[in-house]
Amino acid sequence: MEKWSAATIRDFRKTLLAWYDDEGRDLPWRHGRNPYHTWISEVMLQQTQVNTVIPYYQNFLATFPTVTDLANAEEPTLLKAWQGLGYYSRARNLQRAARQLVDDYHGEWPRTAAELEDLVGIGPYTASAIASIAFDQVVPAVDGNAFRVFARLLMIDDDIAKPKTRQLFTEIIQPIVDPQRPGAFNQAIMDLGSSYMTAKNPDPGHSPVKEFDASYRAGRVLDFPVKTKAPRPKSMPYYGLVIHSPAGYLMVQRGAQEMLTGYWSFPLVLQADLHTENPDATLADDVAEITRRWASDYQIPLDLAVVGGQPVSHTYTHQRWHVKLLTADLPTVPSLEFLPGKWVPAAEIAALPLPKVQEKMMARFAKQQDLPLFE
DNA sequence: CATACGTGGTA
DNA sequence: TTACCAAGTAT
């Protein structure tokens, strides 16, 4: 691993910031220095690419212009504004933190990374990003870009998948951050990481800091950073129930203890929950069991038919869902006294906050039934 | 510390 | 299709 002298550090800052001033990206959240704007952009950018974020950022600020607007927002409005961005707890945590700011901080922003971390949804990276960009605190914002850039520049071979490694990088980068322009320094590293120093197709030979790049000199750019691979997603067979009555389609809201919390979908039944004692159950067995349960648990009689085609598949970071659609068309409207759902006319479904898998189920159902889409 | 948590893009 | 990547955090 490389060590830089004080002179090298000064030289690096100068080279990096000159490039950033000349070639840094003009992004919507880089206009002005509003901590609310920085905060929203940083949370949206967690595990999400810039091009995806831009339209969401514009719409979000138009919908919730201030911390107070966000604190007072209706949850469905909030979830709808976040629909499609993923990692939906970010949206709910954003509102919780907005309420912390209003209630506990009386709208006065904490200005240091250590204090910002007390806000829910703000971890070490986001706290440092806000503190440096909005309040000029001299701290490194250690995200995936910083890991990748400095792992290569200094040939650091610690595994960045290990939580402990963050501390090492923070200590290494801290003395390199430009004390005059910490926010610009951190954003310059991000721009470097998403241009000349990408994970898969880097162009280190044209990087503005190639003279400082030990991995490039060694011809080993792609050996850094070191990162252990994630396990493959677990396969999860589901049944998706498309239940229609004269009042519309039956929709249920995802609960606080499950993923996609607060979003709406057709009722989903995990195949593994049906026959814990019979791993050899057939499709007919599963349909019979679902019918039995809906009659006894919800007092709703179903005459289920199998919807043709391959199961709807949807992959998450840790799960791969395969959803077989079943449908029932009821002649009258059953009471939902025993089931936490609601009947929604086809044309009104799209107004609900919906996860991607629900959009896929609707598209598949419409196609198989030769229906117009749910709009 | 390891795992849960979404979606879209690329090879 | 599979695998992996993209400005991480909470538990």
Side-chain angles (χ1 to χ4, degrees):
Chain A
M1 183 193 132
E2 293 274 309
K3 289 279 283 183
W4 284 355
S5 67
T8 302
I9 288 174
R10 282 195 299 275
D11 210 14
F12 176 78
R13 289 173 185 156
K14 187 177 174 187
T15 304
L16 176 72
L17 289 172
W19 170 75
Y20 179 69
D21 290 337
D22 201 37
E23 314 243 358
R25 292 171 291 182
D26 175 27
L27 300 170
W29 45 88
R30 289 183 177 176
H31 303 162
R33 302 217 321 155
N34 184 326
Y36 177 61
H37 296 176
T38 303
W39 174 42
I40 299 303
S41 69
E42 288 301 339
V43 173
M44 285 187 170
L45 286 160
Q46 290 167 7
Q47 302 290 283
T48 311
Q49 298 193 335
V50 165
N51 286 340
T52 301
V53 165
I54 289 174
Y56 282 92
Y57 174 82
Q58 307 275 29
N59 178 64
F60 197 93
L61 284 192
T63 309
F64 315 110
T66 69
V67 173
T68 307
D69 296 315
L70 178 54
N72 294 335
E74 298 289 338
E75 180 161 277
T77 310
L78 177 68
L79 297 184
K80 197 66 188 175
W82 206 269
Q83 176 177 325
L85 259 190
Y87 286 146
Y88 296 112
S89 64
R90 288 184 295 175
R92 287 174 293 104
N93 285 342
L94 221 38
Q95 184 172 51
R96 289 173 59 195
R99 290 174 176 169
Q100 283 180 273
L101 284 166
V102 170
D103 297 341
D104 304 345
Y105 295 79
H106 307 292
E108 194 73 21
W109 277 87
R111 302 171 66 88
T112 67
E115 296 171 299
L116 285 161
E117 273 200 67
D118 291 337
L119 296 168
V120 61
I122 297 185
Y125 161 72
T126 305
S128 299
I130 297 171
S132 61
I133 295 169
F135 301 119
D136 281 325
Q137 190 187 9
V138 185
V139 286
V142 185
D143 67 341
N145 288 303
F147 276 130
R148 190 166 57 254
V149 168
F150 285 100
R152 287 176 178 166
L153 294 182
L154 303 174
M155 292 212 291
I156 303 169
D157 59 7
D158 295 70
D159 183 356
I160 67 168
K162 303 290 184 192
K164 197 175 71 171
T165 304
R166 165 182 300 282
Q167 181 58 32
L168 173 69
F169 273 73
T170 302
E171 288 167 8
I172 291 172
I173 302 169
Q174 175 68 57
I176 304 178
V177 176
D178 192 319
Q180 305 303 312
R181 302 180 63 195
F185 178 95
N186 285 329
Q187 293 181 93
I189 295 299
M190 297 177 205
D191 282 15
L192 204 52
S194 56
S195 58
Y196 296 101
M197 299 183 75
T198 58
K200 290 193 166 181
N201 295 302
D203 183 14
H206 295 95
S207 159
V209 296
K210 71 172 179 183
E211 308 298 332
F212 302 85
D213 191 340
S215 71
Y216 176 60
R217 283 198 297 278
R220 295 182 52 202
V221 168
L222 293 180
D223 291 343
F224 300 91
V226 174
K227 184 180 180 182
T228 56
K229 63 179 194 300
R232 19 175 322 192
K234 178 184 172 191
S235 184
M236 308 272 281
Y238 275 94
Y239 291 102
L241 274 41
V242 188
I243 303 173
H244 184 260
S245 82
Y249 289 88
L250 181 57
M251 299 291 290
V252 296
Q253 189 171 26
R254 309 273 306 168
Q257 308 310 318
E258 45 192 2
M259 56 187 290
L260 310 172
T261 302
Y263 285 78
W264 293 79
S265 77
F266 295 144
L268 289 163
V269 178
L270 188 59
Q271 201 268 347
D273 286 346
L274 288 174
H275 308 277
T276 49
E277 71 292 342
N278 179 9
D280 299 322
T282 64
L283 173 59
D285 293 334
D286 288 349
V287 171
E289 177 63 15
I290 291 168
T291 304
R292 189 154 49 238
R293 291 191 185 187
W294 278 61
S296 68
D297 294 354
Y298 307 138
Q299 308 283 303
I300 298 176
L302 296 179
D303 183 11
L304 290 167
V306 176
V307 177
Q310 289 299 109
V312 169
S313 66
H314 187 73
T315 304
Y316 299 99
T317 308
H318 60 300
Q319 298 178 6
R320 174 183 288 271
W321 288 14
H322 301 276
V323 185
K324 287 181 182 157
L325 295 182
L326 304 176
T327 188
D329 202 356
L330 307 177
T332 60
V333 183
S335 158
L336 296 182
E337 181 182 357
F338 302 104
L339 182 136
K342 65 178 179 181
W343 297 103
V344 184
E348 296 174 18
I349 293 177
L352 295 171
L354 307 174
K356 179 56 64 177
V357 68
Q358 170 63 17
E359 294 186 330
K360 287 186 181 177
M361 287 193 289
M362 290 192 295
R364 173 63 54 82
F365 182 74
K367 180 175 176 177
Q368 291 293 326
Q369 304 289 316
D370 204 23
L371 291 170
L373 289 174
F374 292 78
E375 308 177 29

